Amino acid sequence: MAAPSTTAPAPPGRRRSVTGTRRSVAVLFLLPALVLLGALVVYPIGYSLIRSFYNANGDGFAGFDNYKAIFTDDGIRTALKNNVIWVVFAPTVSTALGLIFAVLTERVRWGTAFKLVVFMPMAISMLAAGIIFRLVYDQDPDKGVANAVWVGIHDTFAQSSAFPNAHPGRESPLEPDQGGFITTATVHTGQTVTLPLVGVAPDQMPDGARKAVAAKPDPGKITGTTWQDFTRGKGVGRLGAPDPSELGYAGMRVEAVKNGKVVASTKAAADGTFTLPAAADGAQLRLPASNFKQPYNGVDWLGPTLVTPAIIGSYVWMWAGFAMVLIAAGLAGVPRELLEAARVDGATEWQVFRKVTVPLLAPVLAVVTVTLMINVLKVFDLVYIIAPGSSQDDANVLALELYRKGFSEGQPGIASAIAVFLLLLVIPVMWFNVRRLRREERR
């Protein structure tokens, strides 16, 4: 039989002393963190809250006037509208792309390399990303990648004119007509017509252009030449006649017009010569406006209409990798036997994805979406850097408006009110996230 324990319980006073010591040690270790928290979080929030009730000078109580301005000032209302667009689309698109990338990269050998490439933009600061996409969205196709691709696709199906700046020179038989040019007199069969133009730089002439030659007359047809009637050098070359160094307008469209109707048409050969049938007898020759159409310069990505979607695109480029990594980590914990069971039961891959994979990943998707929602409410750098001055008002968001009111327009009261309003917008999202995390811990 075991001997009874002889250890006596500690007196109540001693137990209280040990507990108090432990609490003192815990407080001592927490004190630096509490001091930093108070200095960097609590004090700024408290000061901003108080400052939001004062006027711009800080010496007069303004009440709720600064908060009223949030809903009456046009700039702030635009920023609020854009923030709603950001919160709805940026987290949704980033999470959706992250989910697609995470699921698809599980099925390829080079999935790890792909994940690395997609995640790499996270290593770039918002400032650097803004500079990169300011160049990507440049209007000039020779500088902006987005417009270079867009213009390339467009020109594949609708070739731009090679003569956008061509126009009649001195003593020309042509006059303006509906964006193009038309002869002042009618032409007749057996006649040779000259249609000289100037204004096209030599390096912009069509690749197939050859030395212009004078057309030979044809008794039953109308012949002519259209060419670049300009030779470098003062007093060099003959006006109104092709010279050896002058090139023909290869591909220039020529129309014969009678009573406002086109009765015949043709295109100039590489040397600028053209031939029209007898039906053109008595008509005027017209070079239609399609010959002089300005080259397609792409989309105005940073214009008032598309600036916000364009900036959201740059944000998605950065944060889709973040979403992909978190979702891939969650996907690694999904029981594979459930997926295999669904396939054995006859489910297609789409059904497995929609009815098994996505529901099992719902907690992870919620974390990613909520995290990105909090992040986009504070977005500032990308909008400030990418949006040019001409469209920055159209791309405005609350964080940028806070900066402008506080530092550019000298209205710290309204800026503080915007800061408090942003905090109020973030709190419900954070509260939802905390509740969800606690529910996960109980499970």
Side-chain angles (χ1 to χ4, degrees):
M1 182 174 180
S5 174
T6 58
T7 304
R14 187 177 175 183
R15 285 200 302 271
R16 284 194 295 270
S17 175
V18 172
T19 304
T21 302
R22 289 177 177 172
R23 286 179 180 172
S24 300
V25 172
V27 171
L28 187 63
F29 275 99
L30 288 173
L31 189 59
L34 293 174
V35 170
L36 288 175
L37 184 67
L40 301 178
V41 179
V42 178
Y43 172 74
I45 291 175
Y47 181 80
S48 297
L49 181 61
I50 294 171
R51 191 68 182 80
S52 67
F53 291 103
Y54 283 82
N55 59 18
N57 297 324
D59 55 4
F61 186 74
F64 288 94
D65 290 346
N66 292 330
Y67 289 95
K68 291 178 182 177
I70 295 176
F71 303 99
T72 56
D73 183 275
D74 290 338
I76 301 178
R77 285 196 298 180
T78 300
L80 185 59
K81 179 195 72 176
N82 287 337
N83 264 101
V84 172
I85 295 173
W86 271 88
V87 169
V88 171
F89 290 101
T92 305
V93 176
S94 299
T95 305
L97 284 177
L99 175 61
I100 293 170
F101 291 157
V103 172
L104 294 183
T105 50
E106 277 203 332
R107 299 173 175 271
V108 293
R109 293 181 180 179
W110 40 268
T112 303
F114 181 84
K115 288 178 182 178
L116 179 63
V117 171
V118 175
F119 187 74
M120 278 179 64
M122 285 296 300
I124 303 174
S125 67
M126 287 280 196
L127 174 65
I131 294 172
I132 290 171
F133 274 88
R134 182 65 182 269
L135 296 174
V136 167
Y137 291 133
D138 195 289
Q139 179 67 38
D140 186 353
D142 294 330
K143 297 179 182 178
V145 175
N147 265 343
V149 174
W150 193 263
V151 170
I153 295 173
H154 173 274
D155 288 350
T156 301
F157 299 98
Q159 186 66 37
S160 298
S161 169
F163 323 106
N165 299 314
H167 60 274
R170 293 177 296 148
E171 302 178 17
S172 174
L174 297 167
E175 62 181 6
D177 177 72
Q178 300 177 10
F181 305 101
I182 194 168
T183 56
T184 55
T186 57
V187 296
H188 300 279
T189 54
Q191 181 180 352
T192 300
V193 185
T194 56
L195 303 178
L197 295 171
V198 295
V200 180
D203 60 344
Q204 295 180 352
M205 290 292 287
D207 294 335
R210 299 289 182 267
K211 291 181 180 181
V213 298
K216 297 179 180 179
D218 188 327
K221 298 179 181 178
I222 297 171
T223 58
T225 305
T226 177
W227 80 101
Q228 174 81 352
D229 190 19
F230 176 79
T231 301
R232 292 181 182 274
K234 186 176 181 180
V236 178
R238 297 167 297 164
L239 192 65
D243 291 308
S245 62
E246 296 172 351
L247 299 177
Y249 281 136
M252 176 75 76
R253 188 170 187 81
V254 182
E255 296 177 344
V257 181
K258 283 184 182 180
N259 300 321
K261 295 182 179 180
V262 177
V263 295
S265 66
T266 187
K267 284 187 177 181
D271 56 5
T273 58
F274 61 87
T275 303
L276 289 167
D281 184 61
Q284 292 175 281
L285 300 190
R286 181 173 67 185
L287 304 178
S290 59
N291 289 316
F292 312 103
K293 184 172 58 176
Q294 290 295 323
Y296 181 67
N297 285 323
V299 178
D300 188 8
W301 298 103
L302 299 182
T305 305
L306 294 177
V307 63
T308 295
I311 300 174
I312 290 176
S314 67
Y315 178 90
V316 170
W317 176 77
M318 287 191 68
W319 288 87
F322 167 82
M324 177 194 66
V325 169
L326 291 187
I327 295 170
L331 192 60
V334 172
R336 294 293 182 256
E337 56 270 18
L338 294 179
L339 304 180
E340 293 302 326
R343 293 187 182 102
V344 169
D345 288 341
T348 62
E349 289 299 323
W350 170 245
Q351 290 173 328
V352 171
F353 172 75
R354 185 166 55 92
K355 297 185 177 181
V356 180
T357 305
V358 172
L360 291 174
L361 288 176
V364 179
L365 296 177
V367 170
V368 173
T369 304
V370 170
T371 302
L372 294 180
M373 286 176 66
I374 295 172
N375 187 268
V376 298
L377 282 171
K378 302 178 293 181
V379 69
F380 165 79
D381 317 58
L382 288 176
V383 179
Y384 183 71
I385 296 167
I386 295 177
S390 58
S391 58
Q392 198 170 83
D393 288 341
D394 300 284
N396 201 9
V397 290
L398 288 174
L400 177 58
E401 186 65 14
L402 186 157
Y403 169 80
R404 293 168 67 174
K405 294 293 185 187
F407 297 97
S408 300
E409 301 177 16
Q411 301 183 58
I414 295 180
S416 299
I418 295 174
V420 174
F421 183 66
L422 269 174
L423 177 64
L424 294 176
L425 291 178
V426 170
I427 285 176
V429 182
M430 294 181 64
W431 176 77
F432 168 80
N433 208 22
V434 170
R435 282 196 61 188
R436 192 200 57 75
L437 289 173
R438 286 180 177 173
R439 283 200 304 269
E440 290 297 321
E441 288 178 358
R442 294 193 193 103
R443 291 177 184 175

